[in-house]
Amino acid sequence: GQNIDQPTEMTATEGAIVQINCTYQTSGFNGLFWYQQHAGEAPTFLSYNVLDGLEEKGRFSSFLSRSKGYSYLLLKELQMKDSASYLCAQRDSNYQLIWGAGTKLIIKP
Amino acid sequence: ETGVTQTPRHLVMGMTNKKSLKCEQHLGHNAMYWYKQSAKKPLELMFVYNFKEQTENNSVPSRFSPECPNSSHLFLHLHTLQPEDSALYLCASSQDSGRGYEKLFFGSGTQLSVL
């Protein structure tokens, strides 16, 4: 089966920049999603990439390289409220979502 | 009012109990989903309903029984569960589960503990 790989946990400092990587198998690729999930809350949509390049939305940006099977989520000017899990999900050729296990991001003052 | 509402937020049940999880969406979407989220594991898709018709059942044990009476409501009926079924159960909705770009809207989930 297809696997999505992302780090289990990352730690960063308030005000800094952090990059969360996600790798996937390139066969049957049909889009890449990022969701944010605060502890005990619903996952919420952050970004969607289907073409190569960087998509910027305020402090958050998402990058995709289809040939490398690679995406990253870039968070700038980190705030304490950015402490959450970040879920990467690939949509395959059958429009099914394949989820990563999530990256828990811890922000320290 | 949140877009997708799930009740109860927490549920503790014995293995012989019968309980139901409820999900309601106020977004006018046509597709609804049940996901299971276990600690440090990827989200597992359980069931998909599109226009009230079940379009996906990912080999889920029969002790989980979904019901979708209309496009706004989704239930998950539980009976004779096992301790390994303890997890966060998430409901989600989207405009349509068919082709095209689909963004999911999730509820906050029901944290289920089976004793």
Side-chain angles (χ1 to χ4, degrees), chain B residues 12-97:
Chain B
V12 179
M13 59 187 289
M15 290 192 286
T16 58
N17 292 158
K18 289 184 181 181
K19 297 286 184 183
S20 295
L21 310 184
K22 179 182 176 182
C23 176
E24 183 175 1
Q25 58 97 358
H26 310 276
L27 301 168
H29 289 164
N30 297 310
M32 296 188 76
Y33 310 74
W34 279 116
Y35 277 93
K36 176 182 179 182
Q37 186 175 36
S38 302
K40 298 184 180 181
K41 289 187 177 180
L43 287 177
E44 297 175 46
L45 179 64
M46 300 175 73
F47 302 104
V48 181
Y49 279 82
N50 202 25
F51 292 94
K52 300 187 299 179
E53 298 296 320
Q54 186 175 313
T55 57
E56 190 99 19
N57 176 341
N58 274 4
S59 302
V60 180
S62 59
R63 57 185 183 269
F64 295 91
S65 175
E67 179 190 359
C68 188
N70 54 60
S71 293
S72 299
H73 293 86
L74 186 64
F75 295 90
L76 188 62
H77 304 299
L78 316 171
H79 64 97
T80 60
L81 294 191
Q82 304 299 311
E84 60 264 29
D85 297 323
S86 297
L88 180 68
Y89 288 84
L90 290 166
C91 173
S93 71
S94 67
Q95 184 61 43
D96 194 313
S97 72

